[in-house]
Amino acid sequence: MPILLFLIDTSASMNQRTDLGTSYLDIAKGAVELFLKLRARDPASRGDRYMLVTYDEPPYCIKAGWKENHATFMSELKNLQASGLTTLGQALRSSFDLLNLNRLISGIDNYGQGRNPFFLEPSILITITDGNKLTSTSGVQEELHLPLNSPLPGSELTKEPFRWDQRLFALVLRLPGLASTEPEQIGSVPTDESAITQMCEVTGGRSYCVRTQRMLNQCLESLVQKVQSGVVINFEKTGPDPLPIGEDGLMDSSRPSNSFAAQPWHSCHKLIYVRPNSKTGVPVGHWPIPESFWPDQNLPSLPPRTSHPIVRFSCIDCEPMVIDKLPFDKYELEPSPLTQYILERKSPHTCWQVFVTSSGKYNELGYPFGYLKASTTLTCVNLFVMPYNYPVLLPLLDDLFKVHKLKPNLKWRQAFDSYLKTLPPYYLLPLKKALRMMGAPNLISDNLDCGLSYSVISYLKKLSQQTKLESERILASVGKKPPQEIGIKVKNHSGGGVSLTHNKNFRKLLKEIIGDTAPRLTELNTKEFAGFQVGLLNKDLKPQTYRNAYDIPRRDLLDQLTRMRSNLLKTHKFIVGQDEDSLHSVPVAQMGNYQEYLKTLASPLREIDPDQPKRLHTFGNPFKQDKKGMMIDEADEFVAGPQKKVKRPGEVNSALSSKRRRSVTVTHDVHEEKMENGQISPDGFLSKSASPELMNMAGDGIPPDQVDSLSDDFASLREDGLIHKPGSNALTGETKNCSVSVDDQKVAVTSALETAPSTLQITPAMAQGINADIKHQLMKEVRKFGRKYERIFTLLEGVQGPLAVKKQFVEFTIKEAARFKRRVLIQYLEKVLEKIESYHLLNNVNHINSRS
């Protein structure tokens, strides 16, 4: 569950205006809202927790913490006001203390027992500031200093105020007050030069120097991608550099390695991704990263640890070791100069061992607990975390299973006991679990010792109890407003708090004006609300407080009694005093609170086919897809060009049509295979030897003889719109009907020649109406799934007009078929179009010859 904490600069300098007329504080509020919208696209955002901290004095700086919902977060964000000093250091300390509030209670840091990457609370701290000088009550500060004293118990166990799963990112607003005439620079956003940049880099984050609104949107898009589950580790090289690799991929000892020159990949401060388990949704691991000290019973207290472990890697090539059934952890490294260097070596079958200094008892460097290795495809570098001193353990376990058949002899047990002496005590429990998973006998005693002294264990328990009390105190103060300044008191000279209506001269004057109907005054009460007196015109008039039960009409008693019983027994699911009609009445300010609704939904099921492109969270449009993730078949690229979307009469809604388009599958692979086998003629028409499986693959195919007849009919079209059969001087007058299903109604489209006598003339208006209907039916038929193309050709036969009109209809049908990737239909139509064009050219030649 990622934690997103927004630290908003609420100093007085945030009231400065930009060239757009908005203040920096308004831009900061809009940036937070835009970030939430961008983040909501990811389905994983359903588990996000949002916090809001300002530059106010602690504990009033916490506006939304662990217990506040998203509605409270948005309300506090909108009500922020800029006033006060730029106390960035104190605000950062309060933010980190808020994030670390429950870590000691949950035991997630596991002090003295190794660092578990799979025990984490991934947190992103995003601060939005103007980058001005840091001010406090003592003056202006040139450098950023975080207070060393923290009210949180146990903060002395870590040297830094942050943890390895917490990263700081800063949006430093540098928007000008006047519109700039210089062209806007396009590219990556640079880091800022303010004091917060170094703090961001220490935590594994970065700062952004925002100069335009476009750059701000670009930064927010980048920050959304930074919300990853992982921990930050310092990777440092130990020992000499590796030998360079030549062009042939082998070691080249003749080339210098520059072992003494500092390289960027020698020391990297980067994230390792800790992926959640696909079944449980939480990270799962087996082995810790060792501590930088050896736990001893004589230690009076735990030495403070660094927030980021220092993992040293040796550049000596080793063989990656692994045996069957022994669990190991695999973490991908964030791209860095180190990963780039390893990938450029192109050695996916070798690895570099990793160590933690002073983790062993008899070795200063410690023993290896894993290795760095490039993936087989050379796309990323992974950190494999194995049992401590795995080069000794793995051969022993291999002999246990293959040589001794799970019945070890005395020599093997002595070697295994020697290995256990080099093992930190906190590795015994995970090793015992791993051996049980492998089916090995019980080789480790059940009385495990954690290696910590009794005083240290008692101290950790005491810290946990103190943290609970401090946590309750801090959470109780969340949302409280800071006390207002009393200001200067002014002495009241208005007669000791006596109201004007009690003045004798005023009453005499009032009586002269309104007569004897002067109001009776209330008794004077100077104790409550000193200096104020409310006078009622009628003393008998009493204010109405709560509703009296005796005021309820008789006809409403039963209904009111039901409401009272429901409110008393709390048996209803609505708010007290709220009925079903007003349940869905939501204030306008809460209508966009979609995060609370997402939390009530059940967890989504696993995708059946993970290779399919994932659907984005599109509020209001369930059919929208991520076009970047869609794959277009190479054979269909010629019909996947940009198409103009025009609203056509009678077209079904776009959502259903897009769904139908996505459901269409083009069977071009089978078609090409048939062509290679000679079952389909090269011109795209089905030959008489075509197999019935191909003919009926997606529907009823067109018989070959019927396809030929349809082509002949189009080839014999005359310019007057009548059909002329080859070898005959008579015009056919047969009826050609096509029944097409549209909205469950059968619409019959007749051809140009009805059963009426051939002398019947079709007017241009009639021809235009018939063609419009045919065009509408063609769009419907092309969209249908399958290969029932007979109706399409029958409809094209009924087109009224000269040969040019019929050609336009065929071209229109080809365009429609291209929109839905009907490759086979396109080939049929192109063949028909060629015959029409050739016949049109032949008619022109005959016409010229007859005139000559």
Side-chain angles (χ1 to χ4, degrees):
M1 180 182 292
I3 301 174
L4 301 171
L5 190 149
F6 294 91
L7 176 58
I8 307 300
D9 186 352
T10 53
S11 61
S13 58
M14 290 291 286
N15 287 320
Q16 58 182 311
R17 300 282 175 176
T18 65
D19 59 336
L20 301 177
T22 56
S23 66
Y24 274 18
L25 184 60
D26 294 334
I27 293 177
K29 294 179 182 179
V32 175
E33 294 180 357
L34 180 57
F35 179 88
L36 298 184
K37 292 180 181 178
L38 296 175
R39 174 61 181 162
R41 297 176 180 175
D42 189 354
S45 64
R46 296 171 55 182
D48 291 352
R49 184 188 298 274
Y50 298 100
M51 300 182 182
L52 182 63
V53 181
T54 63
Y55 281 17
D56 294 337
E57 290 293 328
Y60 306 108
C61 58
I62 304 175
K63 304 301 181 183
W66 288 94
K67 294 184 178 181
E68 284 68 35
N69 56 17
H70 186 73
T72 305
F73 174 88
M74 296 303 298
S75 176
E76 293 290 340
L77 177 67
K78 294 178 181 178
N79 294 330
L80 290 182
Q81 295 181 356
S83 62
L85 303 175
T86 311
T87 55
L88 177 59
Q90 180 62 56
L92 284 175
R93 183 76 204 205
S94 301
S95 301
F96 287 124
D97 287 346
L98 178 62
L99 293 175
N100 301 331
L101 202 57
N102 299 319
R103 297 181 73 95
L104 202 58
I105 302 175
S106 63
I108 193 173
D109 287 323
N110 204 29
Y111 288 107
Q113 300 296 302
R115 303 173 188 246
N116 296 311
F118 45 89
F119 286 169
L120 77 166
E121 285 178 348
S123 305
I124 301 294
L125 199 158
I126 302 174
T127 178
I128 306 178
T129 180
D130 57 358
N132 286 341
K133 292 289 185 179
L134 306 178
T135 57
S136 63
T137 54
S138 59
V140 179
Q141 301 175 356
E142 296 295 334
E143 297 180 355
L144 177 61
H145 296 285
L146 273 66
L148 297 178
N149 55 340
S150 173
L152 203 62
S155 58
E156 69 277 3
L157 295 177
T158 306
K159 296 180 180 180
E160 297 88 357
F162 51 86
R163 303 295 183 263
W164 66 341
D165 52 359
Q166 300 167 359
R167 290 179 294 162
L168 173 64
F169 295 90
L171 296 175
V172 184
L173 303 180
R174 303 287 187 182
L175 284 78
L178 298 176
S180 177
T181 58
E182 298 180 359
E184 184 177 353
Q185 297 180 356
I186 300 177
S188 60
V189 181
T191 59
D192 194 74
E193 298 179 355
S194 57
I196 199 174
T197 299
Q198 186 177 2
M199 186 67 186
C200 293
E201 294 175 353
V202 168
T203 63
R206 60 157 297 182
S207 65
Y208 298 90
C209 182
V210 180
R211 300 189 181 276
T212 61
Q213 184 65 39
R214 186 196 64 82
M215 294 177 68
L216 178 60
N217 298 339
Q218 184 178 350
C219 294
L220 294 175
E221 291 277 1
S222 174
L223 284 177
V224 170
Q225 303 299 325
K226 300 291 184 182
V227 183
Q228 298 283 348
S229 177
V231 293
V232 179
I233 294 180
N234 279 325
F235 290 97
E236 295 185 359
K237 182 186 73 71
T238 181
D241 285 2
L243 293 176
I245 295 181
E247 298 180 356
D248 54 355
L250 302 176
M251 298 293 181
D252 189 358
S253 58
S254 61
R255 297 172 58 185
S257 60
N258 297 327
S259 299
F260 300 100
Q263 300 293 333
W265 61 271
H266 286 178
S267 178
C268 286
H269 189 71
K270 288 297 181 178
L271 188 79
I272 63 170
Y273 300 113
V274 182
R275 308 294 186 187
N277 186 272
S278 58
K279 296 181 179 179
T280 61
V282 295
V284 177
H286 304 87
W287 309 104
I289 294 177
E291 299 277 1
S292 59
F293 65 94
W294 181 269
D296 193 353
Q297 295 281 356
N298 299 324
L299 283 177
S301 61
L302 288 176
R305 62 161 58 156
T306 58
S307 59
H308 301 149
I310 301 176
V311 175
R312 303 187 182 275
F313 59 91
S314 173
C315 299
I316 301 175
D317 290 339
C318 302
E319 291 292 332
M321 300 178 64
V322 66
I323 62 174
D324 294 340
K325 299 182 181 181
L326 178 67
F328 61 89
D329 302 329
K330 178 181 176 182
Y331 305 104
E332 180 185 346
L333 270 68
E334 184 182 18
S336 64
L338 175 59
T339 60
Q340 181 180 358
Y341 182 80
I342 295 177
L343 294 176
E344 288 176 352
R345 291 176 59 83
K346 297 181 180 180
S347 300
H349 303 296
T350 60
C351 64
W352 291 351
Q353 293 179 342
V354 290
F355 309 82
V356 171
T357 305
S358 303
S359 60
K361 189 175 182 179
Y362 308 105
N363 189 351
E364 181 181 357
L365 180 61
Y367 295 102
F369 67 92
Y371 51 82
L372 293 174
K373 178 183 174 298
S375 62
T376 307
T377 57
L378 295 176
T379 56
C380 63
V381 177
N382 298 312
L383 169 64
F384 289 83
V385 179
M386 308 287 289
Y388 193 77
N389 199 5
Y390 72 93
V392 176
L393 174 64
L394 266 59
L396 286 174
L397 294 180
D398 192 50
D399 291 343
L400 176 64
F401 283 89
K402 296 181 179 179
V403 178
H404 302 288
K405 306 299 180 181
L406 300 179
K407 295 180 180 180
N409 55 17
L410 180 60
K411 183 179 179 181
W412 188 95
R413 286 186 175 275
Q414 291 177 349
F416 185 75
D417 291 340
S418 300
Y419 162 76
L420 292 180
K421 292 180 181 180
T422 65
L423 196 67
Y426 47 82
Y427 270 94
L428 293 176
L429 182 59
L431 179 59
K432 186 179 180 66
K433 293 180 179 179
L435 293 177
R436 188 185 304 118
M437 293 173 57
M438 298 176 66
N442 189 9
L443 302 173
I444 301 177
S445 173
D446 294 333
N447 299 325
L448 298 179
D449 184 12
C450 64
L452 301 179
S453 62
Y454 177 77
S455 59
V456 172
I457 297 176
S458 301
Y459 176 69
L460 293 176
K461 290 182 179 179
K462 183 179 179 181
L463 286 180
S464 178
Q465 296 175 357
Q466 294 176 355
T467 305
K468 284 184 179 180
L469 298 177
E470 184 64 23
S471 174
E472 294 175 358
R473 186 190 69 82
I474 294 178
L475 295 179
S477 63
V478 173
K480 289 186 177 181
K481 304 298 180 183
Q484 298 294 331
E485 305 234 351
I486 300 176
I488 302 175
K489 292 184 179 180
V490 180
K491 189 176 181 180
N492 189 1
H493 297 282
S494 60
V498 180
S499 175
L500 182 62
T501 58
H502 290 78
N503 191 290
K504 190 177 294 184
N505 295 331
F506 176 76
R507 285 185 289 171
K508 183 178 179 181
L509 179 62
L510 185 62
K511 186 176 181 180
E512 292 178 356
I513 296 176
I514 64 175
D516 296 334
T517 60
R520 288 177 292 181
L521 302 177
T522 60
E523 294 82 0
L524 180 63
N525 186 4
T526 59
K527 294 183 179 180
E528 188 177 5
F529 302 108
F532 296 92
Q533 181 64 38
V534 179
L536 296 176
L537 296 179
N538 189 356
K539 188 176 181 180
D540 297 333
L541 182 62
K542 296 181 180 179
Q544 183 180 3
T545 55
Y546 294 102
R547 187 175 183 181
N548 195 338
Y550 294 95
D551 294 339
I552 303 174
R554 183 183 182 88
R555 63 179 180 275
D556 297 336
L557 279 177
L558 293 178
D559 186 38
Q560 185 65 28
L561 184 62
T562 303
R563 291 196 185 98
M564 293 170 63
R565 182 184 295 110
S566 178
N567 291 338
L568 178 63
L569 301 178
K570 308 291 184 183
T571 57
H572 56 85
K573 63 180 179 179
F574 308 119
I575 303 174
V576 175
Q578 185 180 25
D579 54 11
E580 295 185 9
D581 294 335
S582 60
L583 176 64
H584 303 287
S585 179
V586 182
V588 176
Q590 300 179 10
M591 286 184 178
N593 187 10
Y594 193 56
Q595 296 294 327
E596 294 299 321
Y597 171 75
L598 288 177
K599 293 179 180 179
T600 61
L601 297 179
S603 300
L605 299 177
R606 178 180 58 83
E607 293 291 339
I608 298 177
D609 189 0
D611 296 332
Q612 292 293 330
K614 295 183 178 179
R615 295 186 184 275
L616 290 176
H617 165 64
T618 52
F619 183 58
N621 184 2
F623 299 103
K624 186 176 180 181
Q625 282 187 329
D626 185 7
K627 295 183 180 179
K628 297 179 181 179
M630 296 178 64
M631 299 181 64
I632 301 177
D633 194 278
E634 295 179 357
D636 296 325
E637 288 183 355
F638 75 100
V639 295
Q643 301 288 339
K644 294 182 179 180
K645 187 174 183 180
V646 183
K647 182 67 176 180
R648 295 181 291 270
E651 184 179 2
V652 295
N653 61 59
S654 60
L656 293 178
S657 61
S658 62
K659 179 180 180 181
R660 184 174 299 171
R661 285 198 298 268
R662 288 198 304 272
S663 65
V664 173
T665 56
V666 182
T667 57
H668 57 87
D669 295 334
V670 180
H671 179 74
E672 293 174 355
E673 182 181 355
K674 297 287 184 178
M675 288 185 60
E676 293 176 359
N677 296 334
Q679 298 180 8
I680 300 181
S681 56
D683 57 3
F685 279 85
L686 298 177
S687 64
K688 293 185 179 181
S689 61
S691 63
E693 291 81 9
L694 178 62
M695 300 287 291
N696 300 320
M697 179 174 299
D700 296 335
I702 305 175
D705 54 352
Q706 195 166 353
V707 174
D708 297 337
S709 65
L710 291 174
S711 303
D712 293 340
D713 289 343
F714 274 92
S716 60
L717 290 173
R718 287 173 45 177
E719 293 185 359
D720 55 3
L722 300 179
I723 300 177
H724 181 267
K725 293 290 185 180
S728 173
N729 296 326
L731 296 176
T732 60
E734 58 186 355
T735 303
K736 298 181 180 292
N737 295 332
C738 178
S739 179
V740 183
S741 174
V742 179
D743 300 334
D744 298 331
Q745 296 180 0
K746 298 296 182 179
V747 180
V749 180
T750 60
S751 67
L753 300 179
E754 302 291 343
T755 56
S758 59
T759 57
L760 177 63
Q761 298 293 330
I762 299 178
T763 63
M766 294 172 59
Q768 186 177 2
I770 294 174
N771 289 347
D773 195 8
I774 291 176
K775 187 175 183 180
H776 176 64
Q777 302 299 331
L778 284 173
M779 291 188 297
K780 295 286 186 180
E781 289 297 324
V782 172
R783 277 200 297 265
K784 286 186 177 181
F785 180 77
R787 294 189 180 179
K788 296 182 179 180
Y789 303 146
E790 179 182 2
R791 297 178 180 177
I792 296 177
F793 287 98
T794 306
L795 286 171
L796 290 174
E797 290 181 20
V799 176
Q800 303 298 313
L803 199 61
V805 176
K806 302 179 184 296
K807 180 181 177 182
Q808 292 177 0
F809 266 76
V810 177
E811 292 175 346
F812 168 78
T813 310
I814 293 176
K815 290 181 179 179
E816 284 295 305
R819 289 182 60 238
F820 300 100
K821 300 182 181 181
R822 303 288 198 268
R823 296 185 65 255
V824 180
L825 176 60
I826 292 173
Q827 294 173 358
Y828 290 156
L829 293 172
E830 288 178 346
K831 186 67 176 181
V832 173
L833 188 62
E834 290 177 1
K835 291 187 177 182
I836 292 177
E837 291 176 348
S838 62
Y839 186 77
H840 182 61
L841 179 63
L842 181 61
N843 283 346
N844 291 338
V845 173
N846 293 337
H847 184 64
I848 293 174
N849 293 335
S850 62
R851 292 184 61 182
S852 61

